[in-house]
Every structure is written in structure tokens, then in C-alpha cells.
Amino acid sequence: MTSLVVPENEPMRLGLMGGTFDPIHVGHIACAQAACEACGIDEVLFIPASVPNFKRGRRLAPAETRLAWCEASLREHAHFHACDIEIKRDGITYTVDTLRQLRALYASDVELCFILGADSAASLPRWYASEELAELATFVAVSRPGQALDEEVRSSLEAAGFRVEYAEGLMVDVSSSDIRGRIASGESIEGLVPEAIRLQVESEPAYCGVKEAGVEDAVCPEMNARGGVADDALSDAFFEARKAELVGRVTEKRFNHVMGVVDAAQRLAEIYDVDVRTARLAALLHDWDKGYDDEGIWKRGIDLGLDKTLDPWVFSNMPQVLHAHTAAVALEQEFPQIPREVIQAIDRHTVGDENMTPLEMVLYCADAIEDGRRFGTIDELRAAVGQVSLDELFFRVYEFWTLNLLSRRHQVHPATIKVWNTLIARRGSKKGRE
Ligand code: ATP
Ligand code: MG
């Protein structure tokens, strides 16, 4: 049970600091202190986000560890407390769920004040269920080095219905990514994290392989689940931030597959004259939800309302295709800056469609023939790249996959038959006869 901080008699302003805390550092504590001083906040809960259900890649410390570091670091601050409410919850941790849960736990005269750095504050209107979010709490935006809140952001937050207060923090130029990077390259982190946890943090296995995996070069201003900092979804910054986030969402094997698809999609895009940045983004995000098991993906599908929009038979019987649809819906909600064509390509990457766009065909083919895949006659498909038209390549890949499913006696999606018939009709009307 989550332990509560209970006000004795006065109504209270309860501060909430959400984050990955991977690891917690002196900037987080300074941020909370600034909010308390500027806005009369009495107590603060530090709430590490979980990265649930997903088999996490190596570079995120386990949720329990991140929580334990918060506990140890906050012991000397009487009014700061580590809170396990998110890591105990199953499923993806949306702030709105946490606020709802806390709202129900606390009396109505306790005001919830969500504290966040200016970088995160700017993206608030893009967070999941932002309208409800705006109703549930007051938001306290604390300036961060290089991240003051400009007038434009302030007015966009107000226009979106957020009650926002501002605090000038004692600027502490540190971030968790910076700390992880230093550990990976053997630099000191003294003074950057509370001394009580420094040795543990330095020896955290999740941080030591950052260099080898190539994620360290990521321009990664936001690793947490809600950080859509880059407005331009086709930018390198957006790509790298999502890539770093993906590490925590899928297994290492899946991550490697995705990076293979990114390479293949870029190659195909160049050959077939599709925008390369758009193709690489669709490839990077296509398996965004592949870390869920069947139970998890059903639950996520229901949370996102897909049980009402998808074919009910497919929803109940084909959990293996749901990840494409949940990813499309969830990504569109969380990152409205992602172009619609990318969302649709993700949505169609498992079953395809009768009218695939060039981008969609590139993703579909890249997913099948990336270098990590080894089976059947896949080399013949690889050899056809650049030799045949994109339509023809897609047809061959679709045929290969469909035959493969049938020969392994898997269920096929009802739409597969439709797509197949359309493709055949287009190729010269064989109409079921040779
Ligand atoms: P990462 O580099 O992994 O994104 P981070 O240092 O930004 O880590 P988070 O866990 O993402 O830490 O951040 C939790 C919250 O703390 C966010 O609202 C963030 O804006 C805020 N925050 C983090 N570092 C600072 C800092 N140095 N000054 C003020 N606020 C900060
Ligand atoms: Mg961050």
C-alpha cells in the first residue's frame, strides 16, 4: 500500500514530482525545493515511473532500484518522500492515472501540485488525457538550466486550461542522462547525486554498457515516457529521444530487430524515392508496443478504446496483431507532432491494406527483410530490392509472409484475404485459375 503523507489540520499543498529518476540527482531535489519555497508547498512526493510489463533493455535501472535510491536520498529531507504508487501499478504509467488515484486518496482540501522542470512543462498539452490532467492538479514549472519558460509556452499552457505557477530554481545543470553518460565513460559523478547513493549508482549494471550500445550519442533531452520535447518529429533529436525510450520498452533482441528495420527502411526509401526521415521514424516506432504480453496488450487495447473500433473477432483472437494498432493510437495521442502518414504506416505494418502507400510498403518490406531475419527464401526477396518495382516487392513479401503463416498453420487475419485478392486482381486478374 502506498504510504500517505497526511496533513495534521491545515489544508495542504501537496507537491508531486514525477520522473524516471534514473537516477535521482541533486537537480531533482533543487527543483522540488524551489517549488516549495516559491509556491508554499508543504510536502513533496517523488514518484518514479515504472516501465511496466516490458522486458527492459539494459540501460534503465529497475523500478525498485530507482525507488530505493529516492528513499535513501530523501531521508535527510523531512518533507520529501519517495512514493511507489506508479511502480506498483500494472500497465503504462500515465500521470493522469496517478493524479486520479491520489485525488481519491486525499481529502478535497489537499491541493495536488505537480512539479516539473520547464522542459517537461512545455509538453504538457501533449500528455495523455491532458484535459483531465489540467483539472486534477496545479502545475508548478521550475526553470532548468537553458530551459526558462518563455511567454509563448506560458500562454499555450494557459490556453490549454492548465493552472500553472512558476518558480525560479537554483539552477543546477545536471540531468540523469548526463549522469549515465559519465558513468559509462568512467567519469566522476561526485556532487551530482546525493552522497548516500553515489556508490550504488556508480555500480548500477544498467548504466555501464551505455557506450557499447550506441545509445550514448543520443541527443536525448527526455528519456521519460512523456517527453515529447522535439516539436519536429522528423528531427534527429526526436528520433534519438524515442530510440532511447524504446530501449526501455522492448527486449534487447526486439530492439536490435527494430534497428535492423530502421536500416532496411532507409535503404528502401532511398531506392524507391520515399522520404528517408519519414521512413526511418515509422521503422523506429513500428514495434513501440511489442513489449507487452497478450494480457498486457489486451488491457492496453481496452484502455485505448480499440475493443470498440477493431473487428471484435480480431480483438479477442489475434493479440499478436494488436501491437500495431495500439502503437498507432497511443503514439498519435502522445506525440501529435508525428505525421499522420507515419501513424498509418505503423497501424498497417502487420496486416497491410489493399491500398498501401509507398511509405507503408517500405515499412512492411523492411520489417520482413531486415538483416536480422533469417529463414525461408528471404534472400531471394533481398536480392529483388532495387531490381523490381516497390509494388512488386511488396507483393512478393506479402505472398511470402502469408504462405509462411499458412504453412505454419497460424491463423490469418480476415483482412489478409481481402488484401491478397486485391493484389492478385491488380496483377492481371488470375481470378483463382491458372
Ligand atoms: P533524463 O536525462 O533521463 O531525462 P532528467 O534529469 O531530466 O533525466 P527526469 O526523471 O526526466 O530527470 O525528470 C523528472 C523531473 O525533474 C522533470 O520534470 C524534469 O524536468 C525535472 N528536472 C530534472 N532535472 C532538473 C534540473 N536540473 N533542474 C530542474 N528540474 C529538473
Ligand atoms: Mg528528463
Side-chain angles (χ1 to χ4, degrees):
M1 173 61 209
T2 302
S3 47
L4 289 187
V5 180
V6 185
E8 278 171 14
N9 34 42
E10 293 288 309
M12 174 170 81
R13 299 199 92 189
L14 177 65
L16 311 169
M17 271 293 285
T20 326
F21 301 114
D22 189 30
I24 186 170
H25 55 67
V26 295
H28 293 131
I29 294 169
C31 175
Q33 278 165 336
C36 289
E37 277 159 33
C39 306
I41 290 170
D42 308 291
E43 304 281 335
V44 181
L45 304 184
F46 285 64
I47 313 175
S50 72
V51 187
N53 267 343
F54 312 124
K55 300 218 175 62
R56 203 177 281 124
R58 288 186 66 242
R59 280 160 303 283
L60 260 172
E64 301 70 30
T65 307
R66 291 181 285 116
L67 177 73
W69 288 339
C70 287
E71 279 164 357
S73 303
L74 300 175
R75 223 161 266 148
E76 60 182 280
H77 300 272
H79 300 288
F80 293 173
H81 319 268
C83 171
D84 59 5
I85 194 166
E86 289 202 0
I87 74 165
K88 277 201 172 151
R89 191 185 314 128
D90 218 20
I92 226 174
T93 52
Y94 286 117
T95 299
V96 71
D97 298 323
T98 305
L99 292 181
R100 253 187 233 140
Q101 216 175 329
L102 289 170
R103 193 58 286 166
L105 286 171
Y106 280 97
S108 59
D109 59 359
V110 175
E111 184 184 357
L112 303 181
C113 299
F114 197 92
I115 304 166
L116 69 191
D119 55 325
S120 309
S123 69
L124 270 174
R126 298 197 297 269
W127 289 17
Y128 178 62
S130 66
E131 278 175 29
E132 190 183 347
L133 206 59
E135 281 169 21
L136 283 164
T138 300
F139 289 80
V140 178
V142 182
S143 50
R144 228 182 135 154
Q147 306 264 1
L149 264 195
D150 55 36
E151 263 317 309
E152 208 177 309
V153 175
R154 290 183 191 217
S155 46
S156 80
L157 290 174
E158 274 150 37
F162 286 94
R163 291 186 303 275
V164 191
E165 295 176 18
Y166 302 92
E168 289 289 325
L170 171 72
M171 298 274 196
V172 185
D173 193 3
V174 53
S175 70
S176 302
S177 338
D178 173 39
I179 291 169
R180 293 190 299 270
R182 280 168 180 263
I183 294 171
S185 51
E187 286 168 64
S188 162
I189 57 163
E190 207 176 329
L192 302 180
V193 299
E195 202 46 34
I197 61 166
R198 180 169 61 89
L199 294 178
Q200 298 166 44
V201 171
E202 276 171 349
S203 54
E204 169 54 40
Y207 301 154
C208 299
V210 177
K211 280 257 154 187
E212 291 77 57
V215 179
E216 86 294 356
D217 294 331
V219 185
C220 177
E222 262 311 322
M223 289 216 19
N224 80 36
R226 312 115 183 159
V229 278
D231 277 334
D232 177 3
L234 300 179
S235 65
D236 291 340
F238 188 85
F239 182 89
E240 294 300 343
R242 301 291 79 73
K243 177 174 157 187
E245 219 175 289
L246 188 67
V247 170
R249 295 184 67 87
V250 295
T251 59
E252 207 171 333
K253 187 165 166 231
R254 176 64 51 180
F255 180 79
N256 293 336
H257 160 70
V258 170
M259 295 325 292
V261 178
V262 168
D263 285 346
Q266 294 188 123
R267 252 184 352 246
L268 290 173
E270 269 164 25
I271 294 171
Y272 292 111
D273 204 17
V274 166
D275 183 67
V276 173
R277 283 180 174 264
T278 311
R280 76 166 183 171
L281 183 66
L284 180 76
L285 300 178
H286 82 285
D287 273 350
W288 191 244
D289 274 2
K290 196 69 181 176
Y292 289 94
D293 58 13
D294 288 356
E295 278 308 308
I297 201 72
W298 270 315
K299 192 168 169 295
R300 181 145 165 89
I302 291 167
D303 286 348
L304 293 165
L306 288 171
D307 52 330
K308 301 192 189 66
T309 52
L310 288 182
D311 174 336
W313 184 88
V314 169
F315 189 82
S316 330
N317 291 288
M318 302 198 78
Q320 70 274 30
V321 302
L322 295 182
H323 70 279
H325 307 305
T326 57
V329 175
L331 285 163
E332 188 170 38
Q333 281 178 4
E334 192 169 356
F335 305 108
Q337 67 269 50
I338 296 177
R340 178 67 215 154
E341 57 183 322
V342 171
I343 298 291
Q344 186 169 297
I346 294 166
D347 196 42
R348 293 180 169 178
H349 87 266
T350 45
V351 185
D353 187 86
E354 291 166 279
N355 297 301
M356 296 282 277
T357 66
L359 171 68
E360 290 161 12
M361 291 192 275
V362 161
L363 175 60
Y364 192 94
C365 295
D367 192 11
I369 66 169
E370 62 98 358
D371 289 348
R373 301 251 199 214
R374 288 184 218 295
F375 51 89
T377 54
I378 212 141
D379 283 336
E380 288 172 23
L381 295 171
R382 289 190 180 119
V385 171
Q387 304 299 315
V388 300
S389 70
L390 183 58
D391 283 328
E392 176 63 22
L393 184 70
F394 171 65
F395 173 75
R396 292 187 192 180
V397 172
Y398 203 83
E399 177 184 41
F400 172 82
W401 272 109
T402 308
L403 289 174
N404 186 279
L405 287 175
L406 292 172
S407 71
R408 288 189 294 153
R409 300 190 171 164
H410 281 231
Q411 288 177 325
V412 288
H413 193 289
T416 302
I417 307 299
K418 266 182 152 178
V419 176
W420 176 258
N421 285 341
T422 305
L423 294 177
I424 293 295
R426 256 183 226 147
R427 288 169 64 81
S429 312
K430 291 202 177 168
K431 298 204 173 68
R433 274 175 284 132
E434 260 320 288

